[in-house]
């Protein structure tokens, strides 16, 4: 078999159902084999779209996403998508063509040092130098991407390696020296944690994306209910605990709820599960949760005590550890006063907004929630749209909120929604978009239409790079430096691609438009003309403690 055939055979054996990608000179042998392979290939219109689609597919399904691009510009176009998956710990295998082996380092046509470029943004990467290593490398790549703390792995394959003929040997097992993630938590640490929990009066569970990755939502819910602790979550943790649950506090941090931030600051015990105390969560670090002891459950030992000093670290898989912890806890703390205080905060300081004559973006999200009954998959772009989608939709299940957390990549949402829809065709998939962000990968309209990938894009069209404008309004004396947008006619633009477009300017038309968009059997852009200078509140100004919120509690 040739290297290209080996690649396709290995992908099939790894269970790959779909590849997102774009062709070019250095991957012609692979594309020739794809021509009649029984793996679905989706031709995106930009390699960045392919990387984000593979990422969105992985987030929605829990499987490893795969993208493929040619050498040089194809590969460098993947890099934002790779960095995005890296920051959010998403399993993606990126395959790139490379110039012929003997030309590497020669400034050959379309040569880029892709393993060099992607070293700091991949969990691991490979340049295949010998075709005999190819099958082993592919197996290792899938293993590394999907185990431990997941992440993207890149395989760079020179054209001559793709063409070389050898006997195919499938490595039955994977054994990588120096890579043995810990899954089982230390029993002594789990015992200590149980003891600390028994003594707490104001515990809080702080859950992150790791809960979703490890499939630990049922155990998390069982823990919260057993010890009667309120649960707050990060942007990446959205969906890990039902937003409608009485113990739910919503998201914490810069645009978290007032009660989540106050509960965190007042708590005497933080049980952190699969979260990493990101600066958008902690705010000013030396003022963060001054009374709290911290239990930190995480599969990545390098996350522990990185930002916040941890009293009881437990390294391992969140689901395993929560199961053990649940068995270990026999004494239940008395949290009744604590829950009463929090209930009062929740009643007094809910998320709110005011109607000023134009459509409120928050209202659009509420209506999408009501129409879909909280059952849709919601992808987002980055900016205000993302925060409103995080705040106002009531997520009930893991893997239903797909958003660029760590990297904050404008242009992620639309191709990610496309990938999610490919992985979960039975679901209604929305991309909640900004008028700025949507233009960063708008070319993927063609991919959606050609492949009948039916995605609904709700553009919260405020005519601004809204989140940046909000910072300029609040911290730069309203000097709106290059944040006002001149936009195309999104309805006509969608139609020109063969998609559908709806424009909505009045509040009473919001819900019917959402219903109509869902009923249309096509990709739809809904252009919601919203209040241009609406802000996302509450807001913790950068560098402040998280209970010092604008629009929060006094
Ligand atoms: C690729 C990229 N470039 C720049 C930024 C900085 N940035 C963050 S939010 C934002 C504005 C986004 O505008 P829009 O998509 O219209 O969303 P809105 O905030 O108005 O909802 C910008 C420019 C970014 N996050 N990503
Ligand atoms: Mg905008």
């Amino acid at each position: 078999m040739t290297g290209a055939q080996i690649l396709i055979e290995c992908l099939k054996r790894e269970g790959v159902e779909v590849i997102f990608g774009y062709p070019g000179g250095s991957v012609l042998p692979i594309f020739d084999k794809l021509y009649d392979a029984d793996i679905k290939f989706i031709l995106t219109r930009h390699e960045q779209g392919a990387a984000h689609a593979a990422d969105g597919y992985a987030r929605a399904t829990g499987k490893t996403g795969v993208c493929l691009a040619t050498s040089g510009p194809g590969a460098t176009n993947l890099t934002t998508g790779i960095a995005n998956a890296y920051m959010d710990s998403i399993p993606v295998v990126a395959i790139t063509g490379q110039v012929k082996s003997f030309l590497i380092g020669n400034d050959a046509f379309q040569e880029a040092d892709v393993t060099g470029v992607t070293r700091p943004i991949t969990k691991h990467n490979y340049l295949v130098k010998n075709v005999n290593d190819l099958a082993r490398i592919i197996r290792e790549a899938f293993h590394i991407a999907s185990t431990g703390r997941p992440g993207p792995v890149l395989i760079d394959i020179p054209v001559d390696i793709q063409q070389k003929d050898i006997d195919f040997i499938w490595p039955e097992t994977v054994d990588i020296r120096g890579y043995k993630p810990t899954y089982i938590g230390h029993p002594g640490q789990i015992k200590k944690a149980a003891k600390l929990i028994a003594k707490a009066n104001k515990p809080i569970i702080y859950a992150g994306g790791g809960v979703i990755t490890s499939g630990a939502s049922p155990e998390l819910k069982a823990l919260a209910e057993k010890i009667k602790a309120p649960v707050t979550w990060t942007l990446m943790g959205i969906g890990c605990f039902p937003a409608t649950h009485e113990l739910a506090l919503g998201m914490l941090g810069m645009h978290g709820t007032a009660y989540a931030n106050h509960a965190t600051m007042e708590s005497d015990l933080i049980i952190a599960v699969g979260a990493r105390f990101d600066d958008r969560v902690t705010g000013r670090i030396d003022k963060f949760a001054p009374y709290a002891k911290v239990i930190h459950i995480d599969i990545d030992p390098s996350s522990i005590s990185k930002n916040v000093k941890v009293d009881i670290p437990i390294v391992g898989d969140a689901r395993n550890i929560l199961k053990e912890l649940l068995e270990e806890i026999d004494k239940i703390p008395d949290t009744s006063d604590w829950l009463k205080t929090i209930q009062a905060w929740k009643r007094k300081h809910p998320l709110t907004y005011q109607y000023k004559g134009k459509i409120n973006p928050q209202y659009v999200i509420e209506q999408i929630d009501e129409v879909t009954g909280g059952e849709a998959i919601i992808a987002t772009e980055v900016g205000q749209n993302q925060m409103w989608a995080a705040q106002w939709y009531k997520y009930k299940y893991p893997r239903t909120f797909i958003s660029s957390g760590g990297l904050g990549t404008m242009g992620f949402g639309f191709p990610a929604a496309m990938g999610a829809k490919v992985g979960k065709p039975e679901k209604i998939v929305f991309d909640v978009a900004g008028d700025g962000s949507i233009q960063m990968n708008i070319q993927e309209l063609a991919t959606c239409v050609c492949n009948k990938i039916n995605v609904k894009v709700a553009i919260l069209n405020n005519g601004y790079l809204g989140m940046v404008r909000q910072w300029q309004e609040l911290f730069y004396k309203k000097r709106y430096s290059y944040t006002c947008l001149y936009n195309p006619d999104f309805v006509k633009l969608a139609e020109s691609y063969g998609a559908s477009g709806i424009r909505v300017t009045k509040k009473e038309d919001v819900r019917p438009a959402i219903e109509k968009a869902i009923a249309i059997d096509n990709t739809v852009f809904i252009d919601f003309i919203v209040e241009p200078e609406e802000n996302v509140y509450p807001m913790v100004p950068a560098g402040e403690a998280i209970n010092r919120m604008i629009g929060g509690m006094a």
Side-chain angles (χ1 to χ4, degrees), residues 382-385 408-410 434-437 440 462 464-468:
V382 167
Q384 295 181 315
N385 59 85
T409 313
M410 288 172 70
D435 46 332
S437 299
M440 285 211 176
N462 52 15
Y464 283 110
L465 297 170
M467 186 56 95
V468 182

